[in-house]
Amino acid sequence: DPKPGAPSVRVPREVLEALRNSGRYDRFRQLVGQAFTLVRRTARLWTALLSIASSAGGNGVSALQNDDDAERAIHTVRERLHLELDDDEAAAEIMAEVEEGAMAILPVIYDKLHQAGLLWH
């Protein structure tokens, strides 16, 4: 989400509430952890692809068009994958980020402003 102050992971609060009410929240947590673990296991592939795209001029991604920015972007990807943690710790961290993002109010404000802007047109 390119908006300033956006959470790193965004799942609307209503979605989490629906999952809890339906009794599927534990399965959701399990699937999020598994998916995140799989993405982490392919981190070398993702960072290599970003490096290649950077070498090719960024391919339309402004963060990859400058060498310093590209290194910073690749470092950010590595940080967000929590490669310093083991799989269980990383799964717990991503779920904490999901919960934190669901409680964030700023994305809700952005969405309401966007909806109002659409109605204005």
Side-chain angles (χ1 to χ4, degrees), residues 36-43 81-87 90:
F36 192 61
T37 298
L38 291 173
V39 171
R40 284 168 35 91
R41 288 182 185 160
T42 59
L81 291 175
H82 301 289
L83 298 175
E84 74 283 0
L85 303 176
D86 68 29
D87 286 348

Side-chain angles (χ1 to χ4, degrees), residues 101-115:
M103 297 302 130
I105 192 71
L106 197 54
V108 175
I109 293 170
Y110 282 135
D111 287 345
K112 297 300 180 190
L113 289 172
H114 180 72
Q115 289 172 355

Side-chain angles (χ1 to χ4, degrees), residues 36 40 43 47 72-85 90 93-94 97:
F36 192 61
R40 284 168 35 91
T47 55
R72 192 173 20 244
I74 292 168
H75 181 72
T76 299
V77 169
R78 288 185 184 124
E79 282 181 342
R80 288 189 176 182
L81 291 175
H82 301 289
L83 298 175
E84 74 283 0
L85 303 176
E93 181 62 31
I94 195 66
E97 291 179 21

Side-chain angles (χ1 to χ4, degrees), residues 3 9 14 37 50 73 79 102:
K3 300 172 189 113
V9 180
E14 296 81 8
T37 298
L50 290 171
E79 282 181 342

Side-chain angles (χ1 to χ4, degrees), residues 26-58:
D26 289 334
R27 179 71 175 141
F28 168 75
R29 288 179 59 90
Q30 179 185 26
L31 290 173
V32 167
Q34 288 174 354
F36 192 61
T37 298
L38 291 173
V39 171
R40 284 168 35 91
R41 288 182 185 160
T42 59
R44 290 180 63 198
L45 169 67
W46 295 112
T47 55
L49 288 172
L50 290 171
S51 293
I52 291 168
S54 173
S55 298

